Amino acid sequence: MTGKDAAGGGKGRLFTVGLVTAWYSSNIGVLLLNKYLLSNYGFKYPIFLTMCHMSACSLFSYAAIAWLRIVPMQLPRSRLQLAKIAALSLIFCASVVSGNISLRYLPVSFNQAVGATTPFFTAVFAYLMTVKRESFLTYLALVPVVTGVIIASGGEPSFNLFGFIMCVGATAARALKTVLQGILMSSDGEKINSMNLLMYMAPIAVLLLVPATIFMEDNVIAITIQLAKKDINIIWYLLFNSSLAYFVNLTNFLVTKHTSALTLQVLGNAKGAVAVVISILIFRNPVSITGMLGYTLTVIGVLLYSEAKKRTKQ
């Protein structure tokens, strides 16, 4: 290996480490900032907050593709494909809104424990919608995933039933979107990369969220303006939080592109544990031994599920 090759390899590794760090920072950052705004700061408007996220995703996605040309622009090939994207956007919206609502009532640690059950819902929806059967070992690995959440729920000092229902709904909607995306965008003519998909989904989400915000969070714009007069930081929090929401999607795409989907899955499993530790240190929410044992069991189940899926594909 020449010195030039070694230098190139070093730069490549440094770039990958930088990407992974940016991915971790944006993922955990948006989660913690959502929690801070909706719970600790007292900004009790999760639908409006989600609308801010989607507005930023619309703007940044277009700029990244049309101007910066991060990926080639892919135009919808038919009205049917656009209708499919709209359906995915509706589910995407429901997932993000439900997740943000749950953060008002649940600590991040428990939110992440419930969120870790995504593979369970993915397997259920895949079976119901495509009659796709997984191997026995794959289904067996889902037992500790679900059992862990049941144990964590019983041992959670800050358990809230409504928040729990919203969190389960967000997790199920996220899994449903993954399965539906695989079904609706499966043909070669309809395959679209995640950045282009976000560029089309985000504006549709904004259109869906505007009436929802008006009817369900009455006078939120005026309230936000009044809050800004007392504390201008709320504007900076919303702008930074919304920008982070886009960078979660951007770094998600870039990490997958420069590493692999499997690497992202492994990083995702570790991210939940890191987010839990950081959130406990920041928010000082009470944690029981039972709750932590339940969450640990769920994480072990997710790791076993990932390994079982990998072996099935080999």
Side-chain angles (χ1 to χ4, degrees):
M1 183 185 286
T2 65
K4 190 180 284 186
D5 291 336
K11 284 181 181 177
R13 282 192 293 274
L14 194 63
F15 178 72
T16 303
V17 169
L19 270 183
V20 170
T21 303
W23 181 82
Y24 262 97
S25 302
S26 56
N27 268 273
I28 295 172
V30 77
L31 178 68
L32 297 180
L33 195 48
N34 282 348
K35 174 63 180 175
Y36 173 73
L37 284 169
L38 294 166
S39 185
N40 298 63
Y41 188 87
F43 188 78
K44 300 175 181 179
Y45 305 101
I47 300 174
F48 177 72
L49 183 64
T50 307
M51 191 180 76
C52 291
H53 288 182
M54 294 303 144
S55 299
C57 286
S58 302
L59 180 65
F60 288 133
S61 290
Y62 183 80
I65 294 171
W67 299 339
L68 300 178
R69 301 182 189 279
I70 287 178
V71 292
M73 184 177 285
Q74 295 173 281
L75 298 173
R77 300 194 175 193
S78 65
R79 287 184 180 179
L80 179 61
Q81 188 183 22
L82 204 54
K84 290 176 179 180
I85 292 171
L88 289 173
S89 183
L90 178 62
I91 298 165
F92 179 51
C93 237
S95 172
V96 179
V97 169
S98 300
N100 284 340
I101 291 172
S102 75
L103 284 171
R104 273 192 64 190
Y105 301 96
L106 298 176
V108 172
S109 52
F110 187 54
N111 176 280
Q112 289 296 287
V114 177
T117 61
T118 302
F120 167 76
F121 289 104
T122 303
V124 169
F125 286 128
Y127 178 75
L128 292 175
M129 300 176 79
T130 65
V131 200
K132 181 186 175 184
R133 290 179 180 272
E134 299 286 356
S135 68
F136 175 72
L137 278 176
T138 304
Y139 286 125
L140 192 64
L142 291 171
V143 174
V145 171
V146 178
T147 306
V149 170
I150 293 169
I151 294 170
S153 301
E156 175 54 53
S158 309
F159 182 82
N160 178 282
L161 182 60
F162 179 69
F164 176 70
I165 292 169
M166 286 292 103
C167 198
V168 170
T171 307
R174 191 160 55 243
L176 178 60
K177 176 186 169 287
T178 301
V179 175
L180 264 181
Q181 190 172 326
I183 297 169
L184 298 178
M185 303 292 177
S186 58
S187 67
D188 289 335
E190 292 190 330
K191 281 182 180 174
I192 186 168
N193 66 53
S194 59
M195 296 308 295
N196 273 277
L197 187 60
L198 180 67
M199 184 178 70
Y200 293 116
M201 283 200 309
I204 296 170
V206 172
L207 292 175
L208 293 169
L209 289 166
V210 166
T213 303
I214 292 168
F215 288 110
M216 299 177 73
E217 296 180 343
D218 188 39
N219 217 22
V220 65
I221 300 292
I223 291 167
T224 305
I225 291 169
Q226 286 301 314
L227 275 173
K229 287 179 180 176
K230 295 176 184 176
D231 181 14
I232 193 64
N233 286 332
I234 184 63
I235 300 299
W236 297 113
Y237 288 149
L238 289 174
L239 288 172
F240 182 61
N241 192 26
S242 300
S243 300
L244 270 183
Y246 170 71
F247 281 103
V248 166
N249 292 281
L250 177 63
T251 54
N252 199 64
F253 172 78
L254 291 174
V255 168
T256 306
K257 182 181 176 182
H258 290 278
T259 56
S260 68
L262 181 62
T263 302
L264 190 71
Q265 193 175 43
V266 173
L267 290 170
N269 293 336
K271 181 211 61 169
V274 174
V276 166
V277 172
I278 294 174
S279 71
I280 291 169
L281 292 173
I282 292 174
F283 299 114
R284 308 278 182 185
N285 56 282
V287 180
S288 68
I289 294 173
T290 306
M292 289 311 294
L293 283 173
Y295 178 64
T296 303
L297 184 60
T298 296
V299 171
I300 291 169
V302 171
L303 293 172
L304 291 173
Y305 172 81
S306 301
E307 185 61 28
K309 287 278 285 183
K310 190 168 69 175
R311 289 187 179 186
T312 304
K313 288 177 181 177
Q314 286 176 351

